[in-house]
Amino acid sequence: MPEFVERGTLRTMIQACYLAIFAMSWDVLSGRTGYISFGHPFLIGIGAYSTAILSKKFGVPPEYSIPLAIVITMFGGLVVLLPALRIKGSYFALVTLAFMELMYQLVQVIRPDLTGGTRGITGIKSLTRGAEAGYELAVTLMLGVALGLWLLMRTRFGTALWAIGMDEDSVRGSGLSTTRLKTMAFLVSALVAGLGGAYYAHYTGSLAPRALFDIDFLFTIIVAALIGGAGTIIGPMFGAFFLIFLLEWLRPILPGAERYFVYGGVALILYMYQPKGLVAIAQSLRDRVRGDNYDHRA
Amino acid sequence: MTQILIQGMLLSGLYALIAMGFMLIFSIGRTLNLAYGAYLLVGGYVYFWLCQQMGLPQIVGFAGAVTAGVLMGLLKHRLIVKTLNGDHVAIEISTLILAVVLQAGVVLLFGDSSKILLPIVPGVVTVAGAQVTFNILTATLISWAVIIGLYLYISRTHTGRAMQAVSMDAKGAALSGVDPDRINLITWGISGGLGALGGVFFASYTQLYPGMWVAPLIISVAVVIVGGIGSILGTLVVAHIVGFMEVGVSSWSPELRGVFTMILIVAVLVLRPQGLFGREETH
Amino acid sequence: MLVLEIENLSAFYGKAQALREVSLTVNEGECIAIVGANGAGKSTLLDSIMGLVKTRGTVRLHGEDITGLRCAQIVKRGVGYAPERFNLFPHMTVRDNLLVGAFTARNEIAKNLDAVHRLFPRLAERENQETSTQSGGERQMVSLGRALMSSPNVLLVDEPTIGLAPKVCGELAKVLQRLSKEMGLTVIVTEQNANFAISLAERLYVLEGGRITAQGTAADLSKDDILAKSYFGA
Amino acid sequence: MTIALEVSHLVKRFGGLIATNDLSFTLNEGESLGLIGPNGAGKTTVFSQIMGELRQTSGTICYFGQDIGGLSTPERIAKGIGRTYQVPRPFSDLTVRENIRVGLMPDSLISMIFGRSDQSKENELGQSVGFSIRDLDKSASELAMGDLRKLELARTLATGARVLLLDEVFAGLTTGEISMISDLLKDLRRRGFTFLIVSHDLPAMEPLIDKAIAIERGTMIAEGVFSDVLANHDVRASYLGDTDVGS
Amino acid sequence: MKLRLGLIAGLSAGLLATTALADIKVGFIGSLSSDTGLSTLRGAQIAIDELNDAGGVMGQQVSMVTADTGEDVIEGVKAFEYLAESAEVDFIISGSIDDVSLGWMPRMQEYQIPTLDTWTSYIGIIDMVIEDPEVMAPYFMNIASDEALATLYINFGAEVLKAKMGFESVVILAEDTAFGQAITGLVTDALAPVAGIDVADVIVYDIGTVDFAPIFSKAQNSGADFIYQVSSVNSQVISSQYVKLQVPMAMTGVNVSALGMEYWEDTGGAGGGISTLSPVPSVGFPLDPVSQGFVDTYQSKYDTRPMIPHFNGFNAYHGLKQAMAAAEAAGGFSDVAAWNAEMLKQDLILEKDGQLWLRYGFWQHGEVEEVTGRTYPQNARFDLTSPYEDAQPSMVVIQWKEDGTVGVVYPFEYASTEFELPSWVK
């Protein structure tokens, strides 16, 4: 791929890969079990901040700081969000949203010497040099995550998560502890979020509370998963590439805020038109061409 | 102490007004309207445009803001809520997207920079060492008037009672001759109007800027979650808890202002999901 | 004079067909009962008349096709409905519950309220009580009262005796008879309690598995134990 | 004969309302017991208490001699009790096979993730309730009501249930479907499963049960052979009403 | 109306950017919807137009590509990547705010594209230049760093607040940002010992604060004579509430929103009485003929906000010409070391009435500034020692009057008005 496209396009693809990882992370929890998380930037932020602080302030090399960051994300997220799993529906979304806002406030106030306060942390060690290497790393990560999740979702565990999204009581009625299942889903989601967040921090080299714990960021993640197609692996990737490329293609034509206006409008219309996402649209197009009825769950 | 009391009362009145419209939709439409903050955004900017940029009288500004809010509410119900047919997750997410789109729209029309509204009623008086502007005093008094009016409307009029009825039992309401759909539409309109009005006051108290919809949304969420669904009294009480807490924390450690509100939301949701004053869901 | 005609009405709840080609007619001022076991489709039939369920077939009220109208419009045309689970507004007072019932008949509130209070003096006494704190019998009264507040000429009552003590059933039967005989309302009652239905209604329909399997006067149905057979088999 | 389920002096109060009033009965292994009563008598509440979805106010529930009052629903299911619901609740976007698979899953994350699903077991369970192998790959959302009942039975059997609590198994079925389910249940009885069945369709229930208990307003009013219970004056009155009402 | 204009402007700018076959490409990075971002963009655009009219640079025409940051760090990184890799610009002019500049800094180091920052003033970036001059060679900052803000203020405190007004103690109201922390530290460390003013209390507030009433109460209760305000984010809120609440103390300090002409409009007229430090050229600051010419062009070309360029507009206008001059001398932008060397030599002297008025130059490596005793390589050169003979004064104190006018109150050499208390302060 690097041979065929411009370097600028590669950069866009890198962004899309990371967004795809975040969207897949969101989807494992929210797209499958139906527990909508409005706090995913919270998890991603923990991962990003952990590795940034460890490598920048304590000199831990990235090969240790990234795994540590992932563990911290899983642990921190678990401690905080486990009680939230008792709550259903909109309330779950709100608790997670509150956590994100809380984190936004706390990062700036608590130990600004470590977190860099509002200004954030800059000069985080880069793992790669140049667009090609960055692209290879990002694509490898994305495909690795996608493959891992795909394998996991093919297991009975994946089926059970789906089932929770359809009827949690019936899953319990089948003798399964849904709390344990949800916790596991959450851990997997946190793992992917922590991983994505940590690598992303090393890729951008900078992070700031306003860029991470932010409703716009949350919006991008959720919209990527949803307009791509929730509950699938390919959907969030599809959605992430669609959104990021839409934004970049709009940049030369509409350089300013108009871009977000158009972009948000497109997202809203797409979502309203087909809540199952682009994957479903592509599917129905293909079905129409082929004229058959193919079971399409990926 | 007196200062905290006075300032707490004033801020809380404003918060109660802001939260009221959100509560209506949450308890009657059973919908989490994440674009609620956008009513405040649009209300504030419409008022700014009419009064401060066009130089029209204040009453025109208020009328324009409230009309814009009501229209937005009605359109949102028709175009999003009805289209998505009660799918709560889809509505929440669509409203979130809508709020972000509206924010981009405001940036497009008015730019990024903050704007301050002229005081609606200029002047200031010092009470017990606390400065009280006539502006915020007016805002608080009007808040109270609107809240009382809303309370009377809901408890005394046919439409108001029908709104309560729909929130408690939609089927029961339908077979009493109430069209839940129409009541929902009216509720969305009122909510939009209240939000826009709250937006004018909120902006005249603070500032106008494209991201201003987030803070009031979070406050509304806090108030309604902690107060519990469907309780005007709960909304009022909790608006005061949040307001006093903010003022109290501000005078103790101002940089922690928002932290406690978030902790309150989380704690209440985890420990008592129906809210401090709410009832257990009947269904 | 036909008030209500139902022709080939079928209704579905998702996959389950709850009504199968039901046809029946009701004359003005008549009191009829629809009897059947739990799950036979009685509530669905009434819900279908009120436009609360997706249906196939026709419902005519005073000769006018009301199929596909919204519930509120049907109420406006003079049909009152007291559903099985009451669907009251639990955190509103008795009075407010009744006033919601008057949504489509705001000019006749005083008259209707007076009539309801005469029928159920207890509701006048407990005007300011929240219905969530009331007993089943009282809720039944509020439910009937609320239906009457819309000035109906047709009253649908779903399973009024569920969970009620026999004594209360007796009082209820009297009230329903008064509504029909003295006030000229057309009353349609569904019942599992067949004897209650027989004591009340001039004509009965037997509903089994979503179908009308028998119909006639109480005397007709008492012969051969048709009702008992519909419940208990041979 | 071993007693599979023993319910003694079960009481459930909701506020002032008594939903279950001092109810006691036993169910022997391999036996089938019908639980009848008019609408609102409290049959489903009894089920919920046996499954642990509702906690009883007082009284005990013993399963093969062990008091299961303190166990959670999944623990009771693991012991071998299963129930079906009045309205079937399939996982509609999953296939029939996957629905059965959820029932078959052990409550262990490790084996859920690393273990393999047992296709032959799935086939066997599916076929045992009358699905063809081809049906197993249908989406549950495409099934008709009778098939949904079958699916729910298969999923419950998959959890390893030996004692099955069936709530209104015939509701919403056509006559053809009723006889299909009825045959299926007869077959399961022959294979030694224990049943507690609730149905309003008393004639359809008749061939499926050994004995019956009738309850009204949470209180037992009759117990014994089905035909005797049906002939009982109180039972008839509970359905048909007292003959002196309204006179 | 404005929407349509904006769209057309955006579309045509986009088309121009993609179709014009220019040989030298300048990239703009900054917010396209903020006044400060637009100041830089327009300042640079006017400079480019003038250069092109005069025949271009090295015989080539100059064109501009814009990349919006939306004042978001991650968007800033993407914007820099876009300029470097998709638009492949030769030189970047930045109107980014501090944290956005910090965000794209690693990209700048990676791509080594000559970059001039006109708004970011974070001293930490100058420290990066000192630490690693080679990798930071493409970076220049032509606004005085944060430190200059506070140092001039000490003199203002001693000569005006203490000597003229008789103020003895101060309460600091600072936002909880790195900027707030830095300025607070400088004021507390220097104001007390040098100017002889006691710090009664330091109150740090959350930048999301919308209700300053309790905070002003707290400030009043501290018993101090005046308030020193440090706010860069949402600073209209604190200043307008100060006016609306008629807080009976003087308030001065650093109020970033008060640095532009739009301040009066944005506060709806609730902004009088506030005084703030401002980098020059500032609102209320008399201009030399060249800079005045720039303002005239600006105002005739753009009749929307910002009404006159902020100081970073001047920095962009003069700085872009310096960067092009350096490139001409160095044979283009590609040899970064050569360009850096030529850039350091740039020294633009602007005279008014035959006297040195403004000077756009840069500190050399190793050149020590006397007051702070440290170096500021590749940063705008200024002089803290009176009588400001060899450089621009870098900072002035301006005050907004209650009638909406604004003027310089300190240093006295540049003063156009006098420092006074708001009418409600007795």
Side-chain angles (χ1 to χ4, degrees):
Chain A
M1 188 63 96
E3 296 78 41
F4 304 114
V5 297
E6 288 172 55
R7 285 197 304 159
T9 314
L10 279 186
R11 290 289 182 184
T12 311
M13 290 179 118
I14 296 172
Q15 294 289 350
C17 287
Y18 283 108
L19 181 59
I21 294 174
F22 301 147
M24 284 190 279
S25 157
W26 182 85
D27 192 59
V28 169
L29 180 70
S30 303
R32 306 269 166 175
T33 65
Y35 278 76
I36 300 298
S37 159
F38 277 165
H40 247 65
F42 168 79
L43 295 173
I44 294 162
I46 294 181
Y49 263 98
S50 299
T51 189
I53 292 172
L54 283 170
S55 65
K56 180 103 201 238
K57 311 276 170 176
F58 296 102
V60 179
E63 52 268 44
Y64 298 112
S65 72
I66 291 175
L68 267 171
I70 295 172
V71 173
I72 294 171
T73 309
M74 290 168 74
F75 184 75
L78 194 64
V79 166
V80 179
L81 278 179
L82 205 51
L85 282 174
R86 293 201 312 143
I87 303 164
K88 280 193 187 172
S90 307
Y91 290 103
F92 180 81
L94 289 177
V95 159
T96 51
L97 184 67
F99 269 117
M100 184 182 85
E101 281 293 317
L102 185 60
M103 198 67 184
Y104 171 67
Q105 310 249 359
L106 283 179
V107 156
Q108 302 173 35
V109 178
I110 307 244
R111 297 298 302 271
D113 52 327
L114 288 183
T115 62
T118 29
R119 208 165 248 166
I121 302 175
T122 186
I124 306 161
K125 197 170 179 252
S126 182
L127 302 174
T128 53
R129 213 158 171 82
E132 282 87 354
Y135 169 76
E136 274 155 20
L137 177 66
V139 163
T140 312
L141 282 174
M142 179 185 75
L143 292 179
V145 166
L147 181 69
L149 290 179
W150 184 67
L151 287 173
L152 187 66
M153 289 305 132
R154 283 181 69 218
T155 66
R156 291 187 285 180
F157 171 68
T159 313
L161 291 190
W162 255 110
I164 287 179
M166 291 166 215
D167 191 335
E168 187 169 349
D169 289 335
S170 282
V171 177
R172 213 175 289 125
S174 304
L176 301 179
S177 159
T178 50
T179 309
R180 201 184 304 155
L181 285 166
K182 286 183 293 183
T183 308
M184 184 66 190
F186 184 74
L187 277 178
V188 172
S189 178
L191 184 147
V192 175
L195 176 107
Y199 275 98
Y200 191 55
H202 284 285
Y203 170 69
T204 58
S206 327
L207 48 85
R210 211 159 52 92
L212 278 178
F213 306 111
D214 182 53
I215 288 203
D216 286 356
F217 184 42
L218 164 73
F219 156 83
T220 315
I221 296 170
I222 296 184
V223 169
L226 288 175
I227 73 168
T232 63
I233 299 292
I234 188 88
M237 294 200 275
F238 206 27
F241 274 78
F242 176 80
L243 278 191
I244 293 279
F245 272 88
L246 178 65
L247 260 184
E248 286 305 313
W249 281 334
L250 284 175
R251 195 192 283 278
I253 313 163
L254 303 170
E258 307 88 348
R259 208 155 51 107
Y260 291 91
F261 192 68
V262 173
Y263 158 90
V266 168
L268 185 61
I269 290 163
L270 259 180
Y271 181 66
M272 298 276 299
Y273 167 70
Q274 175 53 278
K276 286 202 161 102
L278 291 169
V279 170
I281 295 175
Q283 213 80 51
S284 69
L285 281 178
R286 196 186 64 185
D287 289 353
R288 206 171 300 161
V289 173
R290 278 210 202 151
D292 65 5
N293 228 349
Y294 181 73
D295 180 20
H296 50 69
R297 265 171 303 114
Chain B
M1 202 56 221
T2 336
Q3 294 166 3
I4 294 183
L5 232 85
I6 293 168
Q7 288 159 352
M9 274 311 280
L10 296 176
L11 187 65
S12 305
L14 185 61
Y15 281 3
L17 174 64
I18 291 170
M20 217 46 94
F22 185 73
M23 186 277 286
L24 276 186
I25 295 298
F26 200 36
S27 61
I28 295 169
R30 288 296 145 110
T31 309
L32 196 57
N33 177 17
L34 293 178
Y36 181 72
Y39 297 141
L40 280 89
L41 182 71
V42 169
Y45 271 96
V46 166
Y47 180 88
F48 174 79
W49 176 61
L50 290 174
C51 291
Q52 228 144 300
Q53 290 192 330
M54 311 284 285
L56 297 172
Q58 284 178 343
I59 187 76
V60 178
F62 275 109
V66 172
T67 310
V70 170
L71 273 177
M72 273 176 70
L74 297 179
L75 283 175
K76 232 186 301 186
H77 182 258
R78 270 284 166 265
L79 298 181
I80 293 186
V81 181
K82 278 214 73 178
T83 314
L84 294 175
N85 206 6
D87 179 345
H88 290 287
V89 171
I91 292 173
E92 280 161 27
I93 287 165
S94 310
T95 53
L96 178 70
I97 303 178
L98 183 68
V100 174
V101 171
L102 283 170
Q103 178 180 350
V106 166
V107 173
L108 212 56
L109 289 169
F110 293 93
D112 234 353
S113 55
S114 308
K115 317 218 179 303
I116 300 289
L117 282 188
L118 280 167
I120 291 159
V121 182
V124 66
V125 64
T126 305
V127 184
Q131 276 85 24
V132 175
T133 59
F134 291 145
N135 186 53
I136 178 68
L137 198 62
T138 312
T140 308
L141 290 177
I142 295 184
S143 280
W144 276 97
V146 170
I147 292 166
I148 292 169
L150 186 68
Y151 178 77
L152 292 178
Y153 179 74
I154 286 186
S155 57
R156 299 285 159 81
T157 67
H158 281 280
T159 313
R161 266 192 300 267
M163 284 161 79
Q164 283 186 71
V166 171
S167 84
M168 292 181 201
D169 194 313
K171 182 179 169 185
L175 51 85
S176 306
V178 175
D179 187 345
D181 214 47
R182 237 192 90 226
I183 292 296
N184 261 318
L185 184 69
I186 294 173
T187 312
W188 278 84
I190 293 178
S191 166
L194 282 175
L197 185 66
V200 176
F201 287 122
F202 190 67
S204 84
Y205 192 44
T206 61
Q207 64 174 344
L208 274 172
Y209 73 105
M212 69 177 269
W213 59 278
V214 180
L217 175 68
I218 301 268
I219 289 163
S220 307
V221 165
V223 169
V224 171
I225 294 294
V226 178
I229 283 188
S231 160
I232 289 192
L233 184 71
T235 306
L236 257 181
V237 172
V238 179
H240 284 77
I241 293 179
V242 172
F244 275 102
M245 205 166 65
E246 279 201 9
V247 171
V249 172
S250 285
S251 54
W252 162 61
S253 176
E255 77 263 40
L256 292 176
R257 186 188 59 93
V259 172
F260 286 88
T261 313
M262 292 305 129
I263 293 177
L264 183 71
I265 300 185
V266 171
V268 168
L269 274 185
V270 171
L271 300 176
R272 199 181 142 81
Q274 73 272 32
L276 292 181
F277 301 89
R279 315 164 175 123
E280 299 274 0
E281 290 284 289
T282 34
H283 303 295
Chain C
M1 170 71 179
L2 278 181
V3 170
L4 190 71
E5 296 164 84
I6 295 174
E7 264 173 46
N8 298 330
L9 195 68
S10 297
F12 300 84
Y13 281 117
K15 302 255 166 218
Q17 187 170 2
L19 287 183
R20 295 163 204 275
E21 314 252 306
V22 169
S23 299
L24 57 83
T25 54
V26 187
N27 295 311
E28 191 166 357
E30 204 177 14
C31 176
I32 70 151
I34 293 155
V35 286
N38 180 16
K42 303 185 297 287
S43 303
T44 310
L45 178 58
L46 298 191
D47 279 0
S48 304
I49 297 172
M50 297 306 295
L52 292 163
V53 189
K54 267 217 165 72
T55 53
R56 231 171 30 215
T58 339
V59 181
R60 272 193 291 273
L61 182 72
H62 300 298
E64 185 194 359
D65 190 349
I66 59 164
T67 329
L69 289 187
R70 291 160 163 282
C71 184
Q73 293 167 302
I74 295 171
V75 174
K76 224 177 215 161
R77 282 172 167 71
V79 186
Y81 183 22
E84 179 190 338
R85 293 181 198 283
F86 310 142
N87 294 90
L88 296 180
F89 313 119
H91 306 293
M92 280 165 127
T93 61
V94 168
R95 189 187 157 80
D96 281 349
N97 265 278
L98 294 179
L99 286 177
V100 174
F103 194 74
T104 53
R106 297 180 196 180
N107 300 328
E108 294 164 50
I109 290 178
K111 189 191 96 197
N112 286 336
L113 203 57
D114 192 50
V116 170
H117 284 166
R118 265 188 288 117
L119 276 175
F120 308 110
R122 213 178 164 77
L123 295 187
E125 290 162 28
R126 309 219 158 166
E127 221 177 23
N128 294 318
Q129 196 179 357
E130 274 197 15
T131 53
S132 62
T133 62
Q134 287 190 303
S135 73
E138 287 166 338
R139 289 186 201 190
Q140 181 63 267
M141 294 178 201
V142 180
S143 171
L144 280 168
R146 185 180 64 184
L148 293 172
M149 288 301 288
S150 64
S151 304
N153 46 50
V154 179
L155 180 65
L156 312 182
V157 187
D158 196 12
E159 301 254 19
T161 65
I162 275 194
L164 295 190
K167 184 171 166 280
V168 185
C169 291
E171 288 166 12
L172 194 65
K174 280 183 199 132
V175 168
L176 291 174
Q177 274 163 345
R178 268 178 71 188
L179 287 174
S180 162
K181 304 258 154 55
E182 293 172 23
M183 300 167 82
L185 257 65
T186 308
V187 178
I188 304 171
V189 179
T190 67
E191 254 312 328
Q192 173 174 281
N193 188 329
N195 288 323
F196 175 83
I198 287 171
S199 72
L200 185 71
E202 297 149 26
R203 274 190 315 126
L204 297 94
Y205 288 88
V206 179
L207 204 57
E208 251 184 288
R211 271 197 188 83
I212 301 246
T213 53
Q215 66 177 87
T217 61
D220 295 342
L221 295 177
S222 298
K223 277 183 261 165
D224 307 328
D225 251 359
I226 291 173
L227 281 170
K229 270 186 203 152
S230 82
Y231 289 1
F232 303 113
Chain D
M1 221 188 269
T2 330
I3 297 176
L5 195 64
E6 181 171 15
V7 170
S8 10
H9 305 293
L10 197 66
V11 176
K12 176 71 198 174
R13 282 201 184 85
F14 292 109
L17 184 86
I18 299 188
T20 310
N21 185 11
D22 197 27
L23 186 68
S24 302
F25 64 86
T26 56
L27 179 57
N28 292 318
E29 189 177 10
E31 209 176 37
S32 179
L33 176 68
L35 179 59
I36 66 168
N39 197 1
K43 295 162 293 190
T44 302
T45 315
V46 173
F47 272 25
S48 303
Q49 290 174 82
I50 297 175
M51 292 310 296
E53 293 156 357
L54 276 179
R55 291 280 146 146
Q56 66 265 33
T57 310
S58 66
T60 55
I61 301 166
C62 291
Y63 181 72
F64 287 101
Q66 186 203 351
D67 185 352
I68 56 170
L71 301 184
S72 69
T73 306
E75 284 166 333
R76 294 183 201 206
I77 291 166
K79 291 221 167 286
I81 317 177
R83 75 168 285 186
T84 64
Y85 291 88
Q86 207 165 335
V87 180
R89 298 167 72 169
F91 305 120
S92 47
D93 288 351
L94 298 184
T95 62
V96 172
R97 178 187 297 287
E98 285 166 327
N99 266 276
I100 296 173
R101 190 174 295 162
V102 173
L104 271 173
M105 285 180 199
D107 192 17
S108 141
L109 283 175
I110 294 183
S111 74
M112 280 168 81
I113 294 172
F114 297 103
R116 294 183 62 88
S117 52
D118 187 342
Q119 283 245 349
S120 60
K121 193 87 204 257
E122 288 164 15
N123 291 347
E124 185 196 315
L125 273 164
Q127 283 170 313
S128 79
V129 297
F131 284 116
S132 70
I133 294 289
R134 262 229 327 245
D135 289 340
L136 292 185
D137 292 317
K138 272 192 194 162
S139 166
S141 56
E142 297 167 29
L143 299 184
M145 197 63 182
D147 286 343
L148 286 177
R149 294 264 178 226
K150 294 198 304 198
L151 175 59
E152 183 142 281
L153 265 176
R155 202 170 72 198
T156 311
L157 291 175
T159 65
R162 301 296 301 162
V163 174
L164 297 168
L165 279 51
L166 309 180
D167 197 354
E168 297 287 7
V169 267
F170 300 120
L173 300 188
T174 61
T175 28
E177 287 172 331
I178 289 177
S179 73
M180 175 179 78
I181 295 289
S182 183
D183 290 343
L184 177 58
L185 293 179
K186 280 181 206 155
D187 180 49
L188 291 172
R189 280 194 65 194
R190 272 196 294 280
R191 286 160 51 193
F193 288 94
T194 309
F195 287 99
L196 179 60
I197 303 177
V198 162
S199 174
H200 67 263
D201 193 342
L202 303 178
M205 209 169 161
E206 208 254 315
L208 300 175
I209 58 177
D210 302 310
K211 55 177 189 174
I213 54 176
I215 59 174
E216 190 190 10
R217 278 181 239 172
T219 313
M220 189 186 300
I221 51 172
E223 181 178 19
V225 181
F226 196 39
S227 53
D228 293 351
V229 171
L230 289 193
N232 181 298
H233 174 263
D234 288 343
V235 175
R236 293 184 91 84
S238 77
Y239 275 83
L240 296 168
D242 288 320
T243 36
D244 51 338
V245 160
S247 53
Chain E
M1 199 58 219
K2 215 166 174 187
L3 166 73
R4 197 175 311 154
L5 274 178
L7 273 170
I8 290 167
L11 273 167
S12 49
L15 286 173
L16 271 176
T18 44
T19 53
L21 279 171
D23 293 318
I24 294 179
K25 265 191 180 175
V26 173
F28 162 81
I29 186 166
S31 168
L32 289 176
S33 13
S34 75
D35 290 337
T36 53
L38 288 174
S39 282
T40 299
L41 176 67
R42 293 170 180 177
Q45 188 62 55
I46 290 172
I48 288 173
D49 291 346
E50 286 178 11
L51 287 169
N52 284 342
D53 287 347
V57 175
M58 296 179 286
Q60 299 168 339
Q61 289 285 298
V62 184
S63 72
M64 185 138 76
V65 185
T66 58
D68 187 23
T69 60
E71 300 200 338
D72 178 275
V73 174
I74 304 289
E75 281 306 311
V77 173
K78 290 186 197 166
F80 203 99
E81 286 172 353
Y82 168 76
L83 291 179
E85 297 198 327
S86 297
E88 297 181 334
V89 299
D90 300 293
F91 166 73
I92 290 175
I93 188 139
S94 157
S96 309
I97 55 173
D98 286 17
D99 39 354
V100 173
S101 286
L102 278 167
W104 51 249
M105 199 58 69
R107 293 292 181 274
M108 197 264 349
Q109 294 172 343
E110 183 183 337
Y111 299 122
Q112 292 288 307
I113 296 176
T115 300
L116 179 68
D117 231 339
T118 61
W119 172 271
T120 293
S121 59
Y122 182 40
I123 188 73
I125 299 183
I126 297 303
D127 290 335
M128 289 160 76
V129 176
I130 297 168
E131 245 169 68
D132 195 345
E134 200 175 321
V135 79
M136 290 295 285
Y139 182 84
F140 280 78
M141 182 195 282
N142 77 345
I143 168 185
S145 66
D146 286 349
E147 283 197 1
L149 288 165
T151 35
L152 176 98
Y153 190 75
I154 294 160
N155 300 334
F156 172 65
E159 290 179 28
V160 178
L161 298 178
K162 173 109 186 195
K164 272 185 71 180
M165 311 302 299
F167 293 158
E168 300 280 338
S169 63
V170 60
V171 53
I172 301 176
L173 288 193
E175 63 185 21
D176 62 341
T177 62
F179 176 77
Q181 238 179 348
I183 304 293
T184 303
L186 286 163
V187 174
T188 47
D189 292 348
L191 203 61
V194 179
I197 293 176
D198 285 335
V199 177
D201 199 359
V202 178
I203 302 171
V204 180
Y205 64 85
D206 178 63
I207 50 164
T209 304
V210 293
D211 176 20
F212 283 92
I215 295 172
F216 283 125
S217 293
K218 200 179 175 189
Q220 280 170 257
N221 293 342
S222 74
D225 294 323
F226 71 103
I227 297 172
Y228 190 91
Q229 162 208 13
V230 185
S231 68
S232 63
V233 184
N234 297 342
S235 53
Q236 297 99 320
V237 187
I238 182 167
S239 44
S240 68
Q241 288 194 10
Y242 166 77
V243 175
K244 287 179 189 168
L245 288 168
Q246 307 207 333
V247 180
M249 306 164 81
M251 186 160 88
T252 177
V254 186
N255 180 325
V256 171
S257 69
L259 306 185
M261 257 344 234
E262 299 74 29
Y263 172 73
W264 199 254
E265 179 191 318
D266 288 349
T267 55
I274 310 281
S275 55
T276 172
L277 282 164
S278 176
V280 287
S282 179
V283 287
F285 185 82
L287 292 172
D288 61 277
V290 176
S291 302
Q292 189 59 52
F294 162 60
V295 171
D296 294 342
T297 314
Y298 185 103
Q299 287 184 324
S300 65
K301 196 166 171 193
Y302 307 105
D303 64 348
T304 58
R305 292 173 55 123
M307 291 168 288
I308 74 161
H310 289 223
F311 60 85
N312 58 317
F314 292 91
N315 293 350
Y317 173 75
H318 294 302
L320 189 120
K321 287 188 168 175
Q322 290 178 312
M324 290 300 158
E328 216 148 27
F333 289 100
S334 50
D335 184 347
V336 171
W339 180 78
N340 173 282
E342 290 302 327
M343 193 68 178
L344 279 171
K345 284 185 211 156
Q346 293 299 317
D347 196 355
L348 177 70
I349 289 169
L350 300 168
E351 290 183 336
K352 180 172 181 256
D353 306 328
Q355 279 191 315
L356 173 69
W357 190 247
L358 282 175
R359 184 168 166 190
Y360 278 85
F362 293 98
W363 287 97
Q364 309 297 308
H365 285 267
E367 205 178 348
V368 178
E369 196 277 320
E370 281 170 29
V371 174
T372 57
R374 57 162 292 166
T375 63
Y376 299 89
Q378 292 168 210
N379 190 192
R381 167 106 197 234
F382 57 92
D383 193 348
L384 295 166
T385 52
S386 192
Y388 310 104
E389 284 168 337
D390 66 340
Q392 64 187 69
S394 88
M395 295 283 163
V396 292
V397 178
I398 58 168
Q399 184 173 34
W400 285 89
K401 304 292 178 175
E402 283 165 68
D403 60 2
T405 57
V406 59
V408 174
V409 293
Y410 186 84
F412 301 126
E413 293 89 327
Y414 300 92
S416 56
T417 177
E418 250 184 69
F419 180 78
E420 58 190 37
L421 291 175
S423 59
W424 61 85
V425 180
K426 285 132 205 159

